[in-house]
Amino acid sequence: MGRTLRAGRLATFAYFALNGFLMGMWIVHIPAVEDRAGISHAVLGWLLLLLGAGAFMGMQIVGPLTDRLGARTVVPVSAALCAAAVVLPGLATNVWTLGAALLALGLGNGCLDVSMNAHAVQVERDYRRPVMSAFHATFSIGGVLAALVGARTLSWGWSPAATLGAVAALGVVAAAVSAPALLRPRSVDAASPQSPEPAVSSAARRATPRRIWVLAALALMLMLCEGVANDWSVLHLRDVLDAPAATAALAYGAFATAMTVGRLLADRVAARCGPVAILRYGAAVAAAGLTVAALSPWIPLALVGWTVFGAGLSGCIPQLFSAAGHADPEAAGVNVSRVAGLGYLGMLAGPAVIGPLTHFVPLNLTFFLPVAFCVVAACAAGVLRETPQGAENPARKCSSSV
């Protein structure tokens, strides 16, 4: 089992990295795709909503399928779908074809997001210790690799269709090669076939438990905070602190780097301190960091604030995904799809919420909305402590043994 489990973990890393790489390659080529399709920034903004809508649809569709068929079956198919769809924006020549391409890409991304997180929960359960945050860090690393590869191919003059077509082919191959190492589904009730629990669990799954919706609401708030950093950190330094463009870009770089490093370290911290501490203190640190960034009159201090904000947020979302998956192992896909779906909506809502607020208050003061969300998450961290009888939470088990 040890070798099989290690292989399953490596395969999960591969799919997270592949997902980050595929979406990163799309992001790098947005300006070129926009020019090819002949659309304005405003039209692109509306079309990006189709990407989010497709992702949300994919998450809700693939959640039940993952529980029914097993992540071992659904993850490779979802990865191949996402990889095949990444070439479509590069082929789009007008607003209609680009809209359809983004809807398809979002669908593939949503399917892969939920199914690979459901498999990550299965790996974490078998490891009996926290490993979820490292998977999310690998997603970020995949995005960094995409930025480097995309920059190189663009400098060579490759067209979006050629580059994304090559990426799609490599992605499909990677999805197929990694598939055999995925873990086979294991029913938690297999050891007691006479037990009435499966019927009860099946009936209970018809209605999503209230705790899952609380986790989903926290994911929405915290991923909105992440979306604010993605979309507004650079503009904050440029427009509020009058930083040069090159310096302003460091704001997002500092945030993203802190997120990646934090996620690489968060599993060890979760094993010692437990998921509740990760969410409570991580969200509190994030609130403090964003407050410093918002109020700082100096560029260096603002950069420190964005760094601290990323470090604090880094371990929070993986704990929510992990808790959703462990709440009911037989409904891990559905529960993760609820949390991931609302979280993704929160990520998209960041620009939509902050933008209108800037008509009433300066940009830096709008950041106190995500600060408030971080405070709410810190106060509600106790929800991670609740696990139903019989459901084993590896993070909690490890923390109690220290």
Side-chain angles (χ1 to χ4, degrees), residues 191-290:
S192 55
Q194 304 299 325
S195 172
E197 287 300 317
V200 174
S201 179
S202 177
R205 288 200 304 272
R206 295 177 185 175
T208 302
R210 181 182 302 175
R211 177 170 177 254
I212 298 300
W213 289 119
V214 174
L215 294 172
L218 293 176
L220 185 150
M221 289 187 286
L222 290 176
M223 291 184 73
L224 184 147
C225 295
E226 186 175 342
V228 167
N230 293 341
D231 296 304
W232 297 102
S233 57
V234 175
L235 289 173
H236 166 238
L237 257 69
R238 190 191 70 182
D239 296 346
V240 176
L241 300 180
D242 295 323
T247 303
L250 295 177
Y252 174 71
F255 171 82
T257 301
M259 283 279 286
T260 303
V261 174
R263 284 176 171 172
L264 289 172
L265 300 175
D267 288 329
R268 292 185 179 183
V269 179
R272 292 186 60 85
C273 304
V276 174
I278 290 286
L279 180 56
R280 176 170 294 144
Y281 297 112
V285 167
L290 188 54

Side-chain angles (χ1 to χ4, degrees), residues 98 207 253 262:
L98 181 56

